[in-house]
Amino acid sequence: MMRSLFSGVAGLRNHQSAMDVIGANISNVNTPGYKGSRSTFSDVISQTMQGAAGATGNRGGTNPMQIGLGVGMASVDTLMTSGSYQPTGKQTDLAIQNEGFFIVSDGANEYYTRAGAFDFDNVGNYEIPGTGMKVMGWVGVNGVVDTNGPITSIEIPMGITIPAEQTTSMTFAGNLSGTDTPGSTGVTAMDIYDSLGAVQSLGEKFIKVDDVNNVWLAKASLADASIPVSNALTQISFDTTGRTPTVRQVQPGGLPQTAVAFANGMALDSNAAGSTHTVGFSLYDASGNAHNYDMAITSPNGVAFSYNIYAAGTTTPSLGSGTITPSAGAPAGNTFVPGIPVATHFDPWGTGANIIPTNAVGAAPAAAFVGSIPLVAPGTSVLTVPHVQLDNTAASVHNAYYTVFDAKATPHVLQMKFTNTSTTPTPTWSYQLTEAGITSPTTLISGTVTWASPNYTFSPALNASTFNVGTGASLQSMTLGNTAAGDLAPSGNVFNAASNPTYTTTGTVSPVTFTAPGAAQSSVTLDVSALTQYGGTNTAQAATQNGYAAGSLDSKSVDTSGMVVGKFSNGKNLNLARVALATFTNPGGLLRTGDTLFAVSNNSGTPQVGISGTGGRGTISPGTLEMANIDLADQFSKMIITQRGFQANSKIITVTDTMLEELANLKR
C-alpha cells in the first residue's frame, strides 16, 4: 500500500514544479524578449508483478503485470517561438523578426538575448541600460563597416565629426530648347565645396551659337568673380534626335594679351651685402579685379641686385626673376635704379598674370616704387566672316550668326541681318550687326552691300569697322569677303551662311579648376551628358554634386539591416557600426542566466555570427521591442489542469492514509 502513497507524493511534487513553471511564465508576461517554458511529465519505473509469457501448445500468451511507482518531470522546455512586437518609437530599441539573438558582453563573457531594449550611455557605448551589458557588432571606419572581421563592443562617441569632402563632380540635367535662336542663353548654378568645406557657387552659362548644327557653348564661373576659373569653356553638339550630346573642350582664338610695364624706378635704401627689400604691387584684369604680387629684391654682394616676383604673401613659386643694375654715381647709402627690367603679360581670361623679364628701361629715377598699376585696354581681335550668298528676292530677310569672345573669354553671339532693298538693276541689301539674345541690342555696325558682278561692295568697308562686345570687352574688328576671288553671286536660294566661331575644339573636356583663398586647388568634372535638345522650354539645371561641408554628429539610428547610421550637421549620413546576430542549431538548449540572457550550453551548439537577413538570421525591426511569448489563456488553462492534478494526487494520499488506518485497526 505504500506504493500508492509514494505515487501521490511524486504527483504532488511534480505538479507543484509544473505550477512553478506556469507561475514563472505568468510573472514574466510583460518582460520584453522573455521566452516561456513548458513542463512535461513521464511515468517512472514500474514494479513488475508477473512477467509476460509467450504462447505454447494450446495456451495463448499472457501479458506482464506491472504497477507504476508514480510520475516524474520529463523536461522543462524553453519555447523559442516569437512574441508579439510592440512599437516604442525609440530608434535604439531593436527586435528580431524570426530567428536569431543579439550578442551582448560584460567584457569577459558573451551572452545572447532577444530583448533589444538598448541605448547609448554617456561615452557612446551601445548597451542594455539596466545591466551595462554592451551590444556586440562591427564598428565602421570612415563610413565602411567590415563585417568579415571579429565582433567587438559598439562604441560611438557623440563628439565625432565628418571631414569636409571637396566637390569633384557636378552633373546637369534637363533640356536646352531646340527652338531657341542663336544668342539664347540659360544659366544654372549650384553650391559646391572647396577643400576647406567652404561653399562656392559654381554656375554654368549655356549660350546657343549655331542652330544649323545644334551647337551650344557652356562657360563655368564662380559667383565670387575674384576667384578665376580655368578650363571653363566647352562645346555641346546635339545630334538630330536631340539626344546624345558630343562634348569637346574649347579654346577661344584671337584673345589678346597685353604687356604692362612697371613704374620707372625705385630707391633702395642700402647696398649692403644680404640686404632684402619687398615691394607690393597690383595688376587689374578687364573686370577691375585686383591681382596682388610681391617683388622681393636682394643684394647678395652689396653691388648687384636680383629680384623674384611672387603672388602676394607667398615665396613660391617665382613668377618672374631677373637682375637690377645700379645707376652710376648713386649717392652713398642709396642705390637708384633707372628702371625695373620686367614687363607683365596679362592673361585676359582673368586667371592672373604671367610675369616675364624683359630688357625694358624706365625713365628717370623715382623716390619710391609706384605700386598700383592698372591694366591697359586689351588689344584688337579680328572676326573674319565667311563669304556669303545673298537671296535677291524683294524684301527678303536673312540672318547669319557669328561667335566672338571678349577679354574674359565670354562668348557672344553676333547676328548680322541682311534685308533686300532692291533687286534691279543693282541688287542691294542693308545690313545690321547686333548682339543676339539680348533685349534692345545696340547696333554695332550697319551699312549697305551691293552686287556688281563679280564683286560685293560693302559701304562702309567692313575691314575698317570696329566695335565692342560685352561689358569691359575687347575691341573687335570685322572683315567680310569683298573681293572677286571669294564672293558668291546672289541667287533665289535661301541664305544659309554657316557660323564661324573664333575658337577651336581640343578634344576631351578637362575639369574646371579654381583655387579659393586658403584652400587647395579644386578640380570639378562637369557632366552634361544627360542634357537633351528638344523643342519647348529651356529647363537645363545643375542636378547633383558630390561634395559637402564638415559636420558633427547630431543623432544616431539603426536601420533594418542592423546598421547604426549617424546623421551629421552637414546633412550627410555615415555608417558607424553594425549590430551582429547569432543563431544556434538548438536554441532550446541555451542556458538561462537571468536578465533575459542566455548562455551557450553543451546541447545548444556553437553560435553562428553574422548580419541580419543572412544565414537563416532574421531581420531587425528598429523602434520595436519583442514582448514575451506567453499566452495567458493557455497558461490559465494549464494552471487549472495542474491544480486538478495536484488535487487528485492529494486525494491518493488521503485515501491511502485512510486505508492504512483501517489496516492498523485490524489488530483491535
Side-chain angles (χ1 to χ4, degrees):
M1 296 183 67
M2 297 297 291
R3 286 193 299 263
S4 62
L5 184 62
F6 288 130
S7 294
V9 172
L12 288 177
R13 184 174 63 249
N14 287 295
H15 277 81
Q16 179 59 57
S17 296
M19 187 62 74
D20 293 339
V21 172
I22 295 170
N25 287 341
I26 294 176
S27 65
N28 283 285
V29 68
N30 289 318
T31 301
Y34 179 79
K35 298 303 176 185
S37 299
R38 70 176 181 186
S39 57
T40 57
F41 298 132
S42 65
D43 63 337
V44 298
I45 191 170
S46 299
Q47 182 178 1
T48 301
M49 307 298 295
Q50 176 180 308
T56 58
N58 295 325
R59 288 184 178 271
T62 59
N63 293 326
M65 290 188 295
Q66 294 178 296
I67 298 175
L69 299 180
V71 67
M73 185 70 73
S75 66
V76 178
D77 303 317
T78 302
L79 304 177
M80 288 297 179
T81 58
S82 297
S84 59
Y85 294 91
Q86 175 187 356
T88 65
K90 185 178 181 182
Q91 284 297 303
T92 55
D93 286 342
L94 306 180
I96 303 173
Q97 298 186 19
N98 299 319
E99 301 298 319
F101 293 85
F102 299 112
I103 308 170
V104 296
S105 175
D106 59 4
N109 300 294
E110 290 182 355
Y111 300 92
Y112 309 91
T113 184
R114 295 276 295 190
F118 304 139
D119 207 345
F120 290 93
D121 66 12
N122 63 315
V123 297
N125 290 312
Y126 197 32
E127 59 158 13
I128 302 175
T131 63
M133 292 279 189
K134 296 181 180 180
V135 180
M136 305 295 285
W138 301 271
V139 177
V141 178
N142 295 328
V144 178
V145 181
D146 182 8
T147 58
N148 294 318
I151 61 173
T152 184
S153 58
I154 295 176
E155 180 180 351
I156 303 173
M158 192 62 191
I160 63 175
T161 59
I162 181 172
E165 182 69 24
Q166 183 172 334
T167 298
T168 59
S169 67
M170 184 174 175
T171 64
F172 296 85
N175 186 59
L176 292 170
S177 177
T179 57
D180 279 354
T181 58
S184 299
T185 60
V187 180
T188 181
M190 174 176 280
D191 286 344
I192 64 171
Y193 299 88
D194 61 25
S195 64
L196 300 178
V199 174
Q200 304 291 341
S201 181
L202 180 63
E204 186 87 326
K205 180 179 181 179
F206 301 96
I207 179 169
K208 192 168 188 179
V209 297
D210 186 347
D211 59 351
V212 176
N213 300 302
N214 301 321
V215 179
W216 296 72
L217 292 181
K219 180 175 175 61
S221 62
L222 292 173
D224 185 350
S226 67
I227 303 176
V229 176
S230 64
N231 296 328
L233 192 62
T234 54
Q235 179 199 65
I236 307 172
S237 302
F238 292 92
D239 60 17
T240 55
T241 67
R243 299 188 295 270
T244 317
T246 300
V247 185
R248 298 183 180 90
Q249 187 80 44
V250 170
Q251 175 63 52
L255 291 177
Q257 288 192 336
T258 301
V260 179
F262 288 96
N264 38 347
M266 69 167 63
L268 302 177
D269 60 7
S270 173
N271 60 353
S275 61
T276 300
H277 313 280
T278 300
V279 179
F281 62 93
S282 300
L283 296 178
Y284 295 84
D285 61 25
S287 298
N289 299 316
H291 300 269
N292 301 315
Y293 302 92
D294 289 335
M295 176 178 284
I297 304 171
T298 60
S299 178
N301 53 18
V303 177
F305 292 84
S306 63
Y307 65 86
N308 281 279
I309 299 178
Y310 307 103
T314 67
T315 56
T316 184
S318 175
L319 303 177
S321 61
T323 60
I324 301 173
T325 303
S327 59
N334 290 280
T335 299
F336 291 93
V337 183
I340 300 174
V342 65
T344 298
H345 291 265
F346 184 77
D347 177 0
W349 286 57
T351 57
N354 299 315
I355 300 176
I356 304 171
T358 71
N359 294 321
V361 177
F369 182 79
V370 180
S372 182
I373 306 172
L375 183 69
V376 299
T380 299
S381 292
V382 176
L383 170 63
T384 301
V385 178
H387 302 297
V388 297
Q389 178 173 305
L390 300 177
D391 181 2
N392 192 27
T393 303
S396 61
V397 177
H398 306 289
N399 294 308
Y401 297 94
Y402 312 98
T403 306
V404 297
F405 296 86
D406 63 26
K408 294 179 289 184
T410 300
H412 299 266
V413 177
L414 303 183
Q415 178 186 44
M416 178 165 276
K417 180 180 179 180
F418 293 90
T419 304
N420 182 269
T421 58
S422 175
T423 60
T424 58
T426 302
T428 305
W429 299 263
S430 65
Y431 67 85
Q432 183 182 40
L433 183 70
T434 59
E435 185 168 353
I438 61 176
T439 303
S440 302
T442 301
T443 298
L444 304 175
I445 301 173
S446 63
T448 60
V449 56
T450 58
W451 171 256
S453 180
N455 295 332
Y456 285 109
T457 301
F458 290 87
S459 179
L462 285 182
N463 55 5
S465 300
T466 60
F467 54 91
N468 288 303
V469 292
T471 303
S474 61
L475 189 67
Q476 305 280 345
S477 68
M478 186 171 185
T479 303
L480 267 171
N482 55 4
T483 63
D487 288 340
L488 297 176
S491 71
N493 297 326
V494 175
F495 175 72
N496 187 22
S499 298
N500 182 37
T502 55
Y503 61 82
T504 57
T505 58
T506 58
T508 304
V509 177
S510 301
V512 168
T513 60
F514 65 90
T515 303
Q521 185 185 69
S522 293
S523 180
V524 184
T525 299
L526 303 183
D527 183 358
V528 297
S529 61
L531 290 175
T532 59
Q533 185 192 252
Y534 300 133
T537 58
N538 194 326
T539 60
Q541 62 180 347
T544 63
Q545 62 86 32
N546 64 345
Y548 48 84
S552 57
L553 184 62
D554 277 346
S555 61
K556 300 179 286 285
S557 61
V558 185
D559 65 17
T560 56
S561 69
M563 190 72 74
V564 182
V565 181
K567 182 178 181 180
F568 290 78
S569 58
N570 58 1
K572 299 297 293 183
N573 292 332
L574 194 67
N575 293 334
L576 303 177
R578 195 165 190 176
V579 176
L581 297 184
T583 56
F584 294 87
T585 305
N586 176 28
L590 292 170
L591 290 172
R592 294 180 187 268
T593 61
D595 295 320
T596 327
L597 302 177
F598 295 91
V600 174
S601 76
N602 291 335
N603 194 39
S604 64
T606 57
Q608 304 298 311
V609 179
I611 60 176
S612 65
T614 65
R617 288 171 285 271
T619 58
I620 291 176
S621 178
T624 304
L625 287 179
E626 181 185 2
M627 302 309 294
N629 62 347
I630 304 301
D631 184 344
L632 280 178
D634 177 63
Q635 295 299 310
F636 286 152
S637 298
K638 288 181 178 178
M639 185 166 55
I640 294 172
I641 294 170
T642 303
Q643 186 267 338
R644 290 303 183 188
F646 186 92
Q647 184 181 47
N649 278 277
S650 67
K651 290 298 183 182
I652 292 293
I653 294 174
T654 57
V655 171
T656 300
D657 178 62
T658 301
M659 293 174 67
L660 288 172
E661 183 180 1
E662 289 296 327
L663 179 62
N665 288 336
L666 289 177
K667 66 181 179 151
R668 297 178 182 174

